[in-house]
Short mmCIF file of all heavy atoms in Angstrom, two decimals:
data_model
loop_
_atom_site.label_atom_id
_atom_site.label_comp_id
_atom_site.label_asym_id
_atom_site.label_seq_id
_atom_site.Cartn_x
_atom_site.Cartn_y
_atom_site.Cartn_z
N ALA A 1 152.95 99.16 140.33
CA ALA A 1 153.40 97.80 140.65
C ALA A 1 154.49 97.32 139.70
O ALA A 1 155.38 96.58 140.10
CB ALA A 1 152.23 96.83 140.64
N ALA A 2 154.42 97.72 138.46
CA ALA A 2 155.40 97.28 137.45
C ALA A 2 155.28 98.19 136.23
O ALA A 2 154.23 98.79 136.01
CB ALA A 2 155.16 95.83 137.06
N THR A 3 156.32 98.25 135.46
CA THR A 3 156.30 99.03 134.24
C THR A 3 155.37 98.38 133.23
O THR A 3 155.41 97.17 133.04
CB THR A 3 157.72 99.12 133.62
OG1 THR A 3 158.59 99.69 134.60
CG2 THR A 3 157.73 99.97 132.38
N GLY A 4 154.48 99.17 132.64
CA GLY A 4 153.60 98.65 131.60
C GLY A 4 152.26 98.12 132.08
O GLY A 4 151.52 97.54 131.30
N VAL A 5 151.92 98.32 133.35
CA VAL A 5 150.62 97.85 133.84
C VAL A 5 149.51 98.67 133.19
O VAL A 5 149.55 99.90 133.18
CB VAL A 5 150.52 97.98 135.38
CG1 VAL A 5 149.10 97.70 135.85
CG2 VAL A 5 151.50 97.04 136.06
N VAL A 6 148.52 97.96 132.66
CA VAL A 6 147.34 98.60 132.08
C VAL A 6 146.13 98.12 132.87
O VAL A 6 145.87 96.91 132.95
CB VAL A 6 147.17 98.25 130.59
CG1 VAL A 6 145.88 98.83 130.05
CG2 VAL A 6 148.37 98.73 129.80
N VAL A 7 145.41 99.06 133.49
CA VAL A 7 144.18 98.73 134.18
C VAL A 7 143.08 98.70 133.12
O VAL A 7 142.72 99.74 132.57
CB VAL A 7 143.85 99.75 135.29
CG1 VAL A 7 142.52 99.41 135.95
CG2 VAL A 7 144.97 99.79 136.33
N GLU A 8 142.59 97.51 132.82
CA GLU A 8 141.59 97.36 131.77
C GLU A 8 140.19 97.69 132.27
O GLU A 8 139.41 98.34 131.58
CB GLU A 8 141.65 95.95 131.19
CG GLU A 8 143.00 95.68 130.51
CD GLU A 8 143.24 94.22 130.19
OE1 GLU A 8 142.47 93.35 130.64
OE2 GLU A 8 144.23 93.95 129.48
N ARG A 9 139.86 97.21 133.47
CA ARG A 9 138.55 97.49 134.10
C ARG A 9 138.73 97.41 135.60
O ARG A 9 139.52 96.60 136.09
CB ARG A 9 137.51 96.44 133.70
CG ARG A 9 137.00 96.53 132.30
CD ARG A 9 136.00 95.42 132.08
NE ARG A 9 136.70 94.14 132.08
CZ ARG A 9 136.66 93.27 131.09
NH1 ARG A 9 135.94 93.52 130.05
NH2 ARG A 9 137.32 92.14 131.17
N VAL A 10 137.95 98.21 136.30
CA VAL A 10 137.95 98.13 137.76
C VAL A 10 136.62 98.67 138.27
O VAL A 10 136.07 99.62 137.73
CB VAL A 10 139.15 98.90 138.38
CG1 VAL A 10 139.10 100.37 138.04
CG2 VAL A 10 139.22 98.69 139.87
N VAL A 11 136.09 98.01 139.30
CA VAL A 11 134.84 98.43 139.91
C VAL A 11 134.97 98.27 141.43
O VAL A 11 135.58 97.31 141.90
CB VAL A 11 133.62 97.64 139.37
CG1 VAL A 11 133.74 96.17 139.67
CG2 VAL A 11 132.32 98.20 139.92
N ALA A 12 134.44 99.24 142.16
CA ALA A 12 134.43 99.17 143.62
C ALA A 12 132.98 99.21 144.10
O ALA A 12 132.23 100.10 143.69
CB ALA A 12 135.22 100.32 144.23
N VAL A 13 132.62 98.26 144.95
CA VAL A 13 131.25 98.15 145.45
C VAL A 13 131.30 98.05 146.97
O VAL A 13 132.09 97.28 147.52
CB VAL A 13 130.56 96.90 144.87
CG1 VAL A 13 129.15 96.77 145.39
CG2 VAL A 13 130.58 96.93 143.36
N GLU A 14 130.44 98.81 147.64
CA GLU A 14 130.39 98.76 149.09
C GLU A 14 129.94 97.37 149.55
O GLU A 14 128.97 96.83 149.05
CB GLU A 14 129.43 99.82 149.62
CG GLU A 14 129.43 99.93 151.12
CD GLU A 14 128.56 101.06 151.63
OE1 GLU A 14 128.12 101.90 150.84
OE2 GLU A 14 128.31 101.08 152.85
N ALA A 15 130.66 96.81 150.49
CA ALA A 15 130.37 95.46 150.98
C ALA A 15 129.50 95.54 152.23
O ALA A 15 129.93 95.26 153.33
CB ALA A 15 131.67 94.73 151.29
N THR A 16 128.24 95.91 152.04
CA THR A 16 127.33 96.00 153.18
C THR A 16 126.63 94.69 153.43
O THR A 16 126.50 94.26 154.56
CB THR A 16 126.28 97.12 152.96
OG1 THR A 16 125.62 96.88 151.72
CG2 THR A 16 126.93 98.48 152.95
N GLN A 17 126.14 94.07 152.39
CA GLN A 17 125.50 92.76 152.50
C GLN A 17 126.03 91.94 151.34
O GLN A 17 126.01 92.38 150.20
CB GLN A 17 123.99 92.87 152.39
CG GLN A 17 123.36 93.62 153.54
CD GLN A 17 121.84 93.65 153.39
OE1 GLN A 17 121.25 92.83 152.71
NE2 GLN A 17 121.23 94.60 154.06
N TYR A 18 126.49 90.75 151.64
CA TYR A 18 127.02 89.91 150.57
C TYR A 18 126.86 88.45 150.95
O TYR A 18 126.69 88.10 152.10
CB TYR A 18 128.49 90.23 150.28
CG TYR A 18 129.38 90.22 151.50
CD1 TYR A 18 129.96 89.05 151.95
CD2 TYR A 18 129.64 91.40 152.19
CE1 TYR A 18 130.78 89.04 153.06
CE2 TYR A 18 130.45 91.40 153.31
CZ TYR A 18 131.01 90.22 153.75
OH TYR A 18 131.81 90.22 154.85
N SER A 19 126.89 87.64 149.93
CA SER A 19 126.86 86.20 150.11
C SER A 19 128.00 85.63 149.29
O SER A 19 128.25 86.08 148.17
CB SER A 19 125.52 85.66 149.61
OG SER A 19 125.49 84.26 149.71
N ILE A 20 128.70 84.70 149.85
CA ILE A 20 129.84 84.12 149.14
C ILE A 20 129.83 82.62 149.35
O ILE A 20 129.48 82.13 150.42
CB ILE A 20 131.17 84.77 149.62
CG1 ILE A 20 132.33 84.32 148.74
CG2 ILE A 20 131.42 84.53 151.09
CD1 ILE A 20 133.59 85.14 148.94
N ASP A 21 130.21 81.91 148.33
CA ASP A 21 130.24 80.46 148.41
C ASP A 21 131.66 80.00 148.07
O ASP A 21 132.27 80.53 147.15
CB ASP A 21 129.25 79.85 147.43
CG ASP A 21 129.12 78.35 147.61
OD1 ASP A 21 129.45 77.83 148.68
OD2 ASP A 21 128.68 77.68 146.65
N GLY A 22 132.17 79.10 148.82
CA GLY A 22 133.51 78.60 148.58
C GLY A 22 134.15 78.14 149.88
O GLY A 22 133.49 78.09 150.91
N GLU A 23 135.39 77.84 149.81
CA GLU A 23 136.12 77.32 150.96
C GLU A 23 136.19 78.34 152.09
O GLU A 23 136.50 79.51 151.88
CB GLU A 23 137.53 76.94 150.53
CG GLU A 23 138.29 76.18 151.59
CD GLU A 23 139.62 75.68 151.08
OE1 GLU A 23 139.81 75.60 149.87
OE2 GLU A 23 140.47 75.39 151.92
N ALA A 24 135.91 77.92 153.31
CA ALA A 24 135.97 78.79 154.48
C ALA A 24 137.34 78.76 155.13
O ALA A 24 138.03 77.74 155.10
CB ALA A 24 134.92 78.35 155.50
N TYR A 25 137.74 79.89 155.67
CA TYR A 25 139.00 80.00 156.42
C TYR A 25 138.65 80.46 157.83
O TYR A 25 138.13 81.55 158.00
CB TYR A 25 139.93 81.03 155.76
CG TYR A 25 140.43 80.58 154.42
CD1 TYR A 25 139.69 80.82 153.27
CD2 TYR A 25 141.63 79.90 154.30
CE1 TYR A 25 140.14 80.40 152.03
CE2 TYR A 25 142.08 79.48 153.06
CZ TYR A 25 141.34 79.73 151.94
OH TYR A 25 141.78 79.31 150.73
#
């Protein structure tokens, strides 16, 4: 994406069941 990008942490989780709170679209 750009020169000097450092990925400090990353996690991927399967989205099978989830709950989310916040503004709806």
Side-chain angles (χ1 to χ4, degrees):
T3 303
V5 171
V6 175
V7 177
E8 297 167 350
R9 287 180 291 237
V10 61
V11 62
V13 180
E14 186 175 349
T16 54
Q17 295 182 21
Y18 51 87
S19 177
I20 188 167
D21 188 21
E23 189 174 341
Y25 292 86

